[in-house]
Amino acid sequence: MGAQKSIHAGKAKIDVNVDFTHKLCASLMLPTLRSSGSPLSLVIGSLCIKHPNLFGGSEKLDVSWDKGLYDSNVLVVYRRPRPEWLAQQSFALQHSLSPEIGIHGIPVNNFSRSGSGGVNLSRLSVGMDLKEPASSKWCSTTSIKFEHVRPLNDEGRAINRDYDGFPLTCSGNPHDNMVVLKQESRFAKANENSFFHFNLQIEQGIPVLSKWIIFNRFKFVASKGIKLGPAFLLTRLTGGSIVGDMAPYQAFSIGGLGSVRGYGEGAVGSGRSCLVANSELTLPLNKMLEGAIFLDCGTDLRSGHLVPGNPALRQGKPGSGVGLGYGLRFKSQFGHFQVDYAVNAFQQRTLYFGLSNLAS
């Protein structure tokens, strides 16, 4: 239920996409985070402008705007051409606004859903990426960026404490500033019957000024797929940890679609560390439809109390959880969609709609 339109203006291309489907599914199946203030809240969509030759030297400019039900993201990327044997360089400016459900959301219905905790995050970042030339199986990207993070309430006003009076920022001010150096490495190997993907991200906060955040954060994702006759078994292991200075919004949240199904977003827990395992077996039903059974589990490795303000304990999150269920995978020219029906450890059932992303 939507509309797509592509417009060519000279050498530039403009893509517009407006969609009502997500709002329809959310209103039928998912809890309301906050009241819908205007008819525009019924619409989600995106606007993308691309210019392949901005200054006549093959410089590329990409401008994108995405609007969700309760979030938005604006991204401007400028790329300069360089020889293939050199690292490819790009400059990015990004602003995003999203509800902080994973950390400050309030679990309801035996942890199967998460409601708004009245905390939203406004992030502004500017930086540079260097993408190294890819080898046969490895590729890596190094980036450095400045980030300005500001918590907001549901009315859009700046806040520095949650409903219980605990700080939302590391500095104690209405905002946090940081310079982050990030290294991301990817490995991919595949053949006709299996594949293996590994992704490692390491972030280091650089203390340019005395009150800026100093931390080291790493996260890894390893996924393996094996063909078993007509069926396909997909497994994934995700983990991470953070040391040094930390704001609550930097914690690892566990629970929800893409994590532990059967729970609301972040309803299992949030901690300085995490470990999540997913297994899914799919079987083709026809050319466009697959059936799936899955088992998810996750834990904060008993690190929830190490998050400033201990939001997980205050919201009664268990810290670990298991979810199992079944679902359908639908493939079409518009993309791959999934519907999952999951049961958590509290025997509470949840229905999910979304993009299939277990192998990502």
Side-chain angles (χ1 to χ4, degrees):
M1 295 178 62
Q4 275 186 307
K5 181 68 176 180
S6 294
I7 304 171
H8 291 271
K11 295 182 178 180
K13 181 183 179 183
I14 302 174
D15 294 322
V16 181
N17 178 33
V18 180
D19 193 0
F20 296 89
T21 307
H22 187 92
K23 177 63 179 180
L24 178 62
C25 294
S27 63
L28 291 176
M29 304 305 307
L30 301 178
T32 302
L33 298 179
R34 64 176 76 109
S35 60
S36 300
S38 70
L40 288 178
S41 64
L42 299 174
V43 181
I44 70 170
S46 62
L47 172 66
C48 182
I49 302 174
K50 297 184 178 182
H51 200 295
N53 192 20
L54 188 62
F55 299 117
S58 298
E59 301 90 349
K60 294 180 173 61
L61 179 68
D62 295 343
V63 181
S64 62
W65 172 67
D66 295 287
K67 178 189 176 300
L69 291 175
Y70 311 104
D71 59 343
S72 65
N73 182 68
V74 178
L75 177 63
V76 181
V77 179
Y78 170 72
R79 299 179 177 88
R80 295 192 304 182
R82 304 187 76 186
E84 292 183 359
W85 63 86
L86 295 178
Q88 299 303 303
Q89 196 176 68
S90 62
F91 300 89
L93 172 67
Q94 184 175 18
H95 178 265
S96 64
L97 178 64
S98 60
E100 187 53 273
I101 300 297
I103 308 301
H104 297 284
I106 301 173
V108 296
N109 294 346
N110 283 334
F111 302 94
S112 66
R113 300 180 181 182
S114 294
S116 173
V119 179
N120 305 271
L121 284 185
S122 171
R123 293 178 180 263
L124 175 65
S125 66
V126 57
M128 179 182 68
D129 293 342
L130 289 174
K131 186 174 183 180
E132 299 293 335
S135 65
S136 59
K137 297 176 182 178
W138 283 95
C139 66
S140 64
T141 302
T142 302
S143 64
I144 186 168
K145 62 181 177 179
F146 165 79
E147 286 192 23
H148 176 84
V149 183
R150 189 161 53 107
L152 306 173
N153 62 16
D154 288 343
E155 286 72 44
R157 299 188 182 94
I159 54 177
N160 61 0
R161 295 185 178 274
D162 61 19
Y163 283 153
D164 296 324
F166 287 88
L168 294 170
T169 60
C170 180
S171 64
N173 298 322
H175 62 268
D176 280 334
N177 292 322
M178 66 193 86
V179 172
V180 181
L181 179 65
K182 179 179 179 180
Q183 175 73 37
E184 182 173 4
S185 301
R186 293 190 180 97
F187 174 84
K189 180 181 179 180
N191 55 43
E192 294 181 355
N193 298 314
S194 66
F195 74 84
F196 176 74
H197 293 167
F198 181 77
N199 179 285
L200 176 64
Q201 301 175 13
I202 300 176
E203 295 179 332
Q204 176 66 55
I206 302 175
V208 177
L209 296 178
S210 60
K211 292 186 178 181
W212 289 16
I213 301 179
I214 310 171
F215 65 92
N216 184 275
R217 187 179 196 266
F218 82 90
K219 179 182 178 181
F220 72 87
V221 180
S223 56
K224 174 76 173 180
I226 304 174
K227 190 174 182 181
L228 302 174
F232 195 80
L233 176 64
L234 184 60
T235 60
R236 184 176 69 177
L237 183 67
T238 304
S241 187
I242 180 171
V243 295
D245 297 337
M246 179 185 182
Y249 55 78
Q250 293 178 298
F252 295 92
S253 67
I254 308 164
L257 186 62
S259 180
V260 181
R261 285 163 286 190
Y263 293 81
E265 183 180 350
V268 173
S270 56
R272 273 187 177 263
S273 303
C274 78
L275 194 63
V276 177
N278 311 95
S279 296
E280 182 171 293
L281 182 68
T282 58
L283 185 68
L285 303 178
N286 56 44
K287 292 183 179 181
M288 300 179 64
L289 192 64
E290 293 179 339
I293 56 175
F294 57 83
L295 173 66
D296 301 332
C297 57
T299 174
D300 64 5
L301 299 174
R302 298 185 177 181
S303 65
H305 68 283
L306 300 177
V307 177
N310 202 348
L313 176 65
R314 288 187 284 122
Q315 295 153 9
K317 297 180 180 180
S320 62
V322 177
L324 56 90
Y326 57 89
L328 295 174
R329 308 290 179 263
F330 179 72
K331 300 178 182 180
S332 74
Q333 59 181 343
F334 303 106
H336 295 184
F337 301 91
Q338 72 180 59
V339 179
D340 287 334
Y341 181 80
V343 180
N344 64 23
F346 300 91
Q347 299 184 356
Q348 185 66 43
R349 299 166 178 83
T350 308
L351 188 64
Y352 295 95
F353 293 87
L355 295 177
S356 182
N357 58 359
L358 185 57
S360 61

